[in-house]
Amino acid sequence: MQLTAPAGSRTGIRDTDGMAVASFILGLLGLLVLNVVLGPIAIVLATVALVRGTKRRGRAALGLTLGIADLVVLAAFMQADSTVSWSF
């Protein structure tokens, strides 16, 4: 009984493509809500996808950029309101 894929097969590419797309979506969503949580998750997913060699490098790079933007927006609103969260 074999529980893992054979060493020669490339099963990680599909996973990394999913990580790239997820980082983009979470980074975009993080600009609106829960940026303190979604921003770092988007950064980690995008970094892992880029390190593992995703085919969707542009989407992973955009997810990384949006994750960083989430934290910049959070820092700007924290500076303006002197709080950890923000609302419209």
Side-chain angles (χ1 to χ4, degrees):
M1 176 183 219
Q2 185 174 1
L3 297 177
T4 59
S9 68
R10 303 238 342 168
T11 59
I13 295 296
R14 184 171 164 209
D15 293 338
T16 57
D17 290 348
M19 284 185 215
V21 172
S23 71
F24 169 71
I25 292 170
L26 291 176
L28 191 60
L29 188 60
L31 287 174
L32 300 174
V33 293
L34 294 174
N35 49 3
V36 71
V37 174
L38 297 180
I41 293 173
I43 292 170
V44 169
L45 285 175
T47 303
V48 170
L50 288 170
V51 167
R52 289 188 181 177
T54 182
K55 292 179 184 175
R56 299 177 186 242
R57 294 189 66 78
R59 203 155 288 149
L62 192 55
L64 181 63
T65 304
L66 286 170
I68 293 169
D70 291 345
L71 298 180
V72 169
V73 166
L74 176 66
F77 278 106
M78 282 174 54
Q79 187 69 27
D81 294 342
S82 300
T83 62
V84 178
S85 63
W86 61 277
S87 61
F88 291 107

